[in-house]
Amino acid sequence: MKVLVIGGGAREHALCRSLSLDPAVTALHCAPGNAGIAEVAELHPVDALDGAAVSRLAIELEAGLVVVGPEAPLVAGVADAVRDAGIPCFGPSKEAAELEGSKAFAKDVMAAANVPTARSYVCTTPEQIDDALDAFGTPYVVKDDGLAAGKGVVVTADLAKAREHALACERVVIEEFLDGPEVSLFAITDGETVLPLQPAQDFKRALDNDEGPNTGGMGAYSPLPWAEPKLVDEVLESVLQPTVDELRRRGTPFSGLLYAGLAITGRGVRVIEFNARFGDPETQVVLARLKTPLAGVLLAAAEGTLADLPTLTWRDDAAVTVVVASHNYPDTPRTGDPIEGLADIAAYDAPHAYVLHAGTRRDDDGSVVSAGGRVLSVTATGKDLTQARERAYTAVNRVTLAGSHHRTDIASEAAKA
């Protein structure tokens, strides 16, 4: 099978890496890709938001499967355009992707499906904002209703900051704060059958000890030794399957990757948010543990035959990924800085540790330079989280990128569990 992956971040590099290891994949393409993806896939320049351009490329490449990675192309309807061209596509329709594109829409779906989530208000005026903030009190949870590249959520005890963020949004969801640890659970679905993957936990704050501003994610790990063994089955029954069933009932079936961001509260599991695609950086650790070849699973979801697949198999290994971010991230990042040490990781740390590129490109002289806020996801596996952490941080310490920063405590508490 010839596969085309759309996107250019570390999530897409993780997908491409897994697909490149699948013997069923005879040719692998990525558009637009990045410097790291170029090592496992042929890159093509394309506007990822242009459904017609993506479809033309898929036809030209004779792709048997298109995998749309980021949320923005999905919300723009790129998956619809590919399917209209007669090519199987992994990724929800524009209408179904509103589950991520609009937090108000997601709340409406959850209410109809009786999915447990935080109480919330949708606000469009300053008066509504003030009433909602007053109703819930501190800490304030303020979410931009639209796509915000993982940075549209503010959780703060500062009323002025909460109000400032809310007023900057055209429409905003203000909700109660959910206590307890957070879990990311992905599920692959064809609109009927729901196939949950292994859970992961990511780290949203920029600095150690969950300090600093929210980011798109600074690291992740899997499995979760502290989680209840029944967690996945419970979430499948109370969250994932009811949501997929409700969207199908509405005539907007969801086919692709349904991502549930969860809080394990004193009152049980609650949904924080839904995403309509693989999460970054959790994908890096979940796919590192998946033993079942990936292409056939994604194709089955695209073609509506997930029920015919055998049970997914998983490696016993633990996985940890640490994000190396550029100077000033998550504010306006500095780019164009050379990245050194990648060859040393390949020479000394492979195959247990490897680098997935996020914001990188090749300079005119062929060297790899930074090209975004999150630059690299250094990923490692081990017999347990302690060994995976050691391997990941050994590799991170080989990276030289001026002004870069990373968290030093990814999975540190879980490794003690």
Side-chain angles (χ1 to χ4, degrees), residues 11-38:
R11 163 187 44 228
E12 288 74 38
H13 194 177
L15 287 163
C16 285
R17 180 182 184 274
S18 289
L19 290 166
S20 73
L21 298 172
D22 187 335
V25 176
T26 54
L28 183 58
H29 303 269
C30 187
N34 62 39
I37 294 173

Side-chain angles (χ1 to χ4, degrees), residues 111-134:
N114 201 27
V115 169
T117 186
R119 294 179 297 123
S120 64
Y121 294 106
V122 179
C123 307
T124 55
T125 69
E127 292 78 18
Q128 290 174 341
I129 288 168
D130 289 338
D131 287 346
L133 291 172
D134 184 57

